[in-house]
């Protein structure tokens, strides 16, 4: 069977006002993960439109397209094109999960939520010529997940080819986040087995890693064992963590010993009212400056995230946030939403 997996370009990636290099940072690990469930006899192509030209003149049997809100129209045009040639088209991803009825008009099957359990079931149904229109995630586990098909990734086209994900979701429930919607109907935070995560790290060449997990420190037992296993690997890595996980206990020290050199931190806002409204309760009554100081003492660079436009912001929120950032010596990078 010929299978084509496509990540259509986000609209902003093709805009003359955007920064195209930003969208060639990481390969599409979601598609490469699902490719591992295909048969070794299948002929598989993974196309990321951010780093290569999409050929629409081929004739795959099965087309899989990952849909985000800002590539949805492009994804639907691609889907319609392949369906017109007789290919079986499936759509999944954040946007297809958020608006399944919209996506279903352009697909033979759609996937709602994570697909590590539903995609193998689809393949069984497809082989029996009896696929369903909608597949929803029912079992939330990464146990037994086969290794990511990194052989399909064109490493030389990405700035950070050594990206890795060892968990799904996050233990928190911030109202502005995609997570609760995407993982509705089951567990919204779960991890790989530690040995499986370490084996995936071992398969990656070089020293540098980029963990794309929403909250690598979210499960203390898992993270502690992971960092212990990484000691001596001579790796350096970046990941994401919360203010609370940085301030509580010694997990951040263990991360630094394992090679953490940069961390994405969701400060989000300096307003306690905004934190409450956004259900960002894990940040309430936390000393942001103390978190910054602790990370700097450990030699960890900070990528600080702030959200503007919340209900309790006023016209001075920008200058106030920038002033705080300089005052607390947060010089590296601010991510603004």
């Amino acid at each position: 069977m010929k299978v084509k997996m496509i990540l259509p370009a986000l609209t902003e990636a093709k805009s003359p006002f955007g920064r195209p290099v930003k969208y060639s940072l990481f390969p599409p690990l979601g598609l490469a993960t699902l490719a591992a469930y295909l048969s070794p006899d299948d002929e598989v192509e993974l196309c990321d439109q951010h780093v290569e030209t999409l050929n629409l003149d081929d004739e795959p049997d099965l087309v899989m397209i990952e849909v985000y809100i800002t590539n949805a129209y492009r994804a639907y045009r691609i889907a319609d094109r392949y369906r017109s040639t007789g290919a079986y088209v499936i759509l999944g991803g954040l946007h297809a999960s958020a608006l399944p009825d919209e996506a279903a008009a352009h697909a033979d099957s759609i996937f709602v939520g994570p697909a590590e359990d539903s995609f193998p079931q689809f393949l069984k149904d497809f082989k029996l010529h009896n696929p369903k229109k909608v597949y929803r995630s029912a079992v939330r586990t990464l146990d037994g997940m086969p290794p990511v098909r990194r052989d399909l990734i064109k490493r030389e086209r990405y700035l950070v080819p050594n990206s890795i994900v060892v968990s799904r979701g996050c233990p928190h429930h911030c109202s502005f986040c995609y997570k609760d919607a995407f993982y509705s109907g089951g567990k919204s935070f779960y991890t790989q087995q530690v040995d499986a995560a370490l084996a995936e790290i071992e398969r990656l060449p070089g020293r540098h890693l980029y963990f794309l997990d929403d909250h690598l420190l979210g499960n203390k037992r898992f993270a502690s064992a992971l960092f212990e296993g990484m000691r001596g690997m001579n790796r350096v890595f970046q990941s994401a963590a919360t203010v609370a996980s940085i301030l509580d206990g010694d997990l951040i020290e263990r991360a630094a010993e394992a090679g953490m050199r940069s961390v994405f931190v969701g400060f989000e806002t300096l307003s306690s009212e905004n934190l409450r409204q956004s259900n960002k309760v894990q940040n309430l009554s936390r000393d942001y400056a103390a978190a910054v100081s602790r990370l700097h003492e450990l030699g960890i660079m900070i990528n600080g995230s702030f959200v503007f436009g919340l209900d309790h912001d006023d016209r001075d929120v920008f200058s106030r946030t920038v002033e705080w950032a300089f005052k607390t010596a947060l010089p590296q990078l601010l991510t603004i939403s």
Side-chain angles (χ1 to χ4, degrees):
M1 178 172 64
K2 292 184 177 180
V3 182
K4 189 163 189 176
M5 313 181 87
I6 303 171
L7 176 60
L10 302 179
T11 298
E12 56 269 33
K14 297 298 182 180
S15 168
F17 304 105
R19 295 177 295 159
V21 67
K22 175 181 177 181
Y23 302 96
S24 61
L25 285 173
F26 312 113
L29 288 184
L31 292 173
T33 296
L34 295 183
Y37 293 99
L38 294 166
S39 168
D41 298 327
D42 291 332
E43 182 182 326
V44 187
E45 177 188 1
L46 195 164
C47 179
D48 179 357
Q49 207 176 12
H50 299 96
V51 299
E52 58 190 304
T53 301
L54 175 64
N55 173 25
L56 293 172
D57 294 327
D58 52 352
E59 298 181 350
D61 302 299
L62 176 64
V63 177
M64 305 169 57
I65 304 176
E66 185 171 6
V67 190
Y68 290 92
I69 187 170
T70 60
N71 75 2
Y73 291 140
R74 179 177 280 118
Y76 295 158
R77 289 195 297 269
I78 295 169
D80 295 343
R81 167 72 174 82
Y82 274 115
R83 291 182 82 194
S84 72
T85 68
Y88 195 96
V89 174
I90 62 178
L91 300 179
L94 293 178
H95 189 70
S97 298
L99 294 175
D101 292 340
E102 177 188 285
H106 303 275
D108 296 294
S109 292
I110 64 168
F111 288 76
V112 178
E116 286 89 357
D117 67 313
S118 55
F119 184 60
Q121 182 60 53
F122 162 79
L123 292 175
K124 294 177 183 177
D125 296 343
F126 189 67
K127 187 175 182 180
L128 295 173
H129 307 287
N130 188 33
K132 295 186 292 186
K133 182 67 176 179
V134 180
Y135 286 84
R136 297 181 184 273
S137 171
V139 179
R140 303 288 169 83
T141 180
L142 300 179
D143 294 354
M145 185 179 73
V148 177
R149 284 288 306 274
R150 293 184 181 273
D151 59 298
L152 299 174
I153 294 171
K154 303 170 182 68
R155 288 180 55 87
E156 71 281 359
R157 302 190 181 186
Y158 296 96
L159 293 176
V160 191
N162 273 10
S163 53
I164 181 173
V165 183
V166 296
S167 65
R168 299 290 185 271
C170 172
H172 303 295
H173 304 276
C174 307
S175 62
F176 52 74
C177 184
Y178 78 95
K179 188 220 53 171
D180 280 344
F182 186 70
Y183 289 97
S184 65
K187 289 192 296 184
S188 61
F189 181 56
Y190 47 105
T191 71
Q192 282 186 288
Q193 295 293 323
V194 173
D195 288 346
L198 292 172
E200 180 68 12
I201 292 170
E202 290 280 18
R203 284 188 284 268
L204 293 171
R207 291 189 66 202
H208 296 84
L209 304 174
Y210 200 123
F211 287 94
L212 295 175
D213 303 76
D214 291 337
H215 186 4
L216 186 62
L217 280 64
N219 181 319
K220 293 181 180 179
R221 180 179 297 179
F222 168 81
S224 180
L226 179 71
F227 297 148
E228 182 62 30
M230 291 180 65
R231 293 181 62 180
M233 281 188 173
N234 196 31
R235 298 281 192 169
V236 293
F237 65 89
Q238 176 164 330
S239 66
T242 63
V243 173
S245 67
I246 292 164
L247 291 174
D248 294 345
D250 65 349
L251 195 55
I252 194 64
E253 279 81 6
R254 297 188 185 193
E257 291 170 359
M260 180 186 280
R261 295 296 178 267
S262 178
V263 64
F264 179 97
V265 183
F267 297 105
E268 317 305 9
T269 176
L270 302 178
S271 163
S272 57
E273 292 87 355
N274 279 332
L275 290 174
R276 290 190 186 92
Q277 183 192 40
S278 302
N279 200 38
K280 188 89 178 182
V281 294
Q282 66 273 21
N283 277 23
L284 281 171
S285 302
R286 294 290 184 168
D287 188 339
Y288 285 8
V292 170
S293 178
R294 190 170 195 182
L295 291 170
H296 284 168
E297 288 173 1
L298 293 169
I300 298 174
M301 186 171 65
I302 304 167
N303 179 351
S305 172
F306 290 88
V307 177
F308 293 122
L310 297 172
D311 285 356
H312 294 278
D313 284 344
D314 55 30
R315 65 179 59 191
D316 296 324
V317 64
F318 301 102
S319 58
R320 188 165 57 250
T321 303
V322 171
E323 181 181 356
W324 175 87
F326 278 100
K327 182 179 179 180
T328 54
L330 190 67
Q332 284 88 15
L333 181 62
L334 298 182
T335 301
I336 301 171
S337 300

